[in-house]
Amino acid sequence: MFQGKKIVQPPFLKVGDRVALVSPAYWVPQEAILQAAETIVSWGLQPVTAPHSDHQNIDAYAGTADERAADLMWALEDDSIKAIVCSRGGYGSLHLLRHIAPEYFHQHPKWIVGHGDITVLLYVIAGAGVMSLHGPMAFQIASRQEPATSLTRDILFGTVPQYKISGNPYNKTGHAEGILVGGNLSSYSSVAGTKYQLSDDQDIILFIEEVEESLHSIDRLFYMLSLQQNFERVKGIIFGTFNSIRYDLQYGSVEQMLITHLHAHDISVCCGFPVGSNSCIPLIEGAPCTLDVTPDHALLTYNMEGDVTPYEVDMATPKLIKEKQL
């Protein structure tokens, strides 16, 4: 577990840098990896694929746990590789925790990009004291999912966004400061509160999203999280997208249900942030940030090195519009 207050910010990329495509969890067809590589080339970078990227284990995983861990360690150890893009989530990242010590990420800090099941690795990386990027993976980069793909490219090159989100009736106004952590609720709750977490002296801003779960499962997972996670250190919460949810409880929305868990806490809440499986606007995990929620909007600002460029998320379109002023 990381015991210091300062979290390492990996170096931003430069034209010509090498980027590894690694599959820590489910297998993805080679065609998607090749198409993602083409997009990465268009960014001015050099993609390289992990040695076991074409392996498949029990018709699900991208190789055995040993092979997947070896690929991730290969990308970390190679100093010529400056960033790692995960190919796909699904399930399997949890298997790697017995193979890679958290300190290894601190010894080899570089931008690691992914979401969904990759939330497990991002949680460990933040706990090791390194920033990472909760963003689109190879199969989404291959299809050039916008605006997430362009924003991810911008962040990797050092343009740090500032997000302004339209108001939501379930928002809770306030100001929050902390380290941004989170991701897929099922994956996050599997490791929250374990030895991999940030040190207890770190306040956090938590974000969660979920896909293809029932309301009662989400309620159970969030309740578990509230028991595992010391919510006194949670200063702000960002609820992302909840896609393909089965409504087996009498609530009008996931947000309406989850907000009932927070009445006893003085926590700023932003609902409707476009982060999730179908709209993966990139978020910088492990970064110190501020969350300001007003009746009209919510503003997420990173307090880190880089050129901060304001963006406004237009939920009606939905697309991102660059602005000079927020």
Side-chain angles (χ1 to χ4, degrees):
M1 184 174 65
F2 176 62
Q3 294 291 345
K5 285 187 176 294
K6 183 175 175 57
I7 294 183
V8 174
Q9 177 180 311
F12 291 120
L13 274 58
K14 305 184 298 295
V15 171
D17 281 345
R18 300 176 82 210
V19 175
L21 289 160
V22 177
S23 302
Y26 271 4
W27 176 84
V28 65
Q30 286 297 292
E31 181 182 2
I33 294 178
L34 292 173
Q35 290 173 346
E38 291 176 2
T39 300
I40 291 171
V41 168
S42 73
W43 297 352
L45 301 169
Q46 299 181 49
V48 291
T49 57
H52 301 101
S53 62
D54 60 343
H55 287 206
Q56 192 172 11
N57 177 245
I58 63 168
D59 293 327
Y61 305 118
T64 65
D66 286 339
E67 290 172 335
R68 287 177 279 132
D71 279 357
L72 184 55
M73 292 178 70
W74 159 79
L76 287 168
E77 291 173 346
D78 189 332
D79 291 337
S80 72
I81 293 174
K82 304 303 181 183
I84 300 169
V85 175
C86 297
S87 299
R88 184 182 174 187
Y91 177 68
S93 297
L94 201 63
H95 301 158
L96 275 58
L97 301 192
R98 290 183 176 177
H99 298 261
I100 305 176
E103 295 77 16
Y104 213 70
F105 297 105
H106 196 271
Q107 294 166 3
H108 304 277
K110 53 188 70 178
W111 292 106
I112 297 180
V113 187
H115 70 275
D117 184 67
I118 307 301
T119 292
V120 170
L121 295 179
L122 303 186
Y123 181 88
V124 174
I125 294 167
V130 181
M131 297 181 197
S132 60
L133 194 55
H134 183 279
M137 294 181 284
F139 74 97
Q140 293 160 318
I141 292 174
S143 62
R144 304 202 179 201
Q145 184 187 90
E146 295 293 356
T149 301
S150 294
L151 279 171
T152 298
R153 175 202 60 205
D154 290 349
I155 293 173
L156 290 174
F157 278 103
T159 298
V160 179
Q162 183 182 47
Y163 293 124
K164 184 179 180 183
I165 312 299
S166 301
N168 186 289
Y170 293 111
N171 281 359
K172 185 176 180 181
T173 62
H175 172 83
E177 298 182 12
I179 305 299
L180 187 66
V181 294
N184 176 262
L185 178 59
S186 298
S187 301
Y188 188 87
S189 62
S190 70
V191 288
T194 65
K195 63 181 181 180
Y196 302 106
Q197 69 178 341
L198 280 166
S199 58
D200 293 337
D201 60 354
Q202 299 276 14
D203 290 336
I204 64 174
I205 293 176
L206 173 68
F207 72 94
I208 62 170
E209 57 85 16
E210 191 52 89
V211 61
E212 295 181 351
E213 287 286 355
S214 66
L215 278 185
H216 89 267
S217 292
I218 293 174
D219 184 78
R220 174 176 51 82
L221 289 167
F222 194 77
Y223 195 84
M224 286 172 50
L225 183 60
S226 69
L227 296 175
Q228 297 167 268
Q229 179 81 67
N230 176 11
F231 263 55
E232 294 302 316
R233 66 191 299 206
V234 179
K235 304 303 178 182
I237 291 183
I238 296 171
F239 289 134
T241 60
F242 297 93
N243 298 311
S244 302
I245 302 302
R246 300 188 299 278
Y247 281 76
D248 55 353
L249 294 175
Q250 296 302 307
Y251 288 100
S253 68
V254 176
E255 293 85 352
Q256 182 188 32
M257 179 181 70
L258 293 181
I259 208 76
T260 62
H261 291 278
L262 302 174
H263 289 318
H265 301 281
D266 184 20
I267 299 176
S268 303
V269 179
C270 166
C271 297
F273 195 97
V275 57
S277 61
N278 294 339
S279 180
C280 199
I281 300 302
L283 292 174
I284 304 172
E285 294 234 17
C289 62
T290 59
L291 176 67
D292 290 290
V293 184
T294 72
D296 298 325
H297 65 264
L299 188 66
L300 179 66
T301 306
Y302 295 104
N303 305 316
M304 54 184 289
E305 299 174 5
D307 297 324
V308 177
T309 300
Y311 289 87
E312 180 173 353
V313 179
D314 185 345
M315 295 299 294
T317 32
K319 62 181 179 180
L320 289 173
I321 305 171
K322 288 187 179 181
E323 293 188 333
K324 294 182 179 179
Q325 300 287 335
L326 282 182

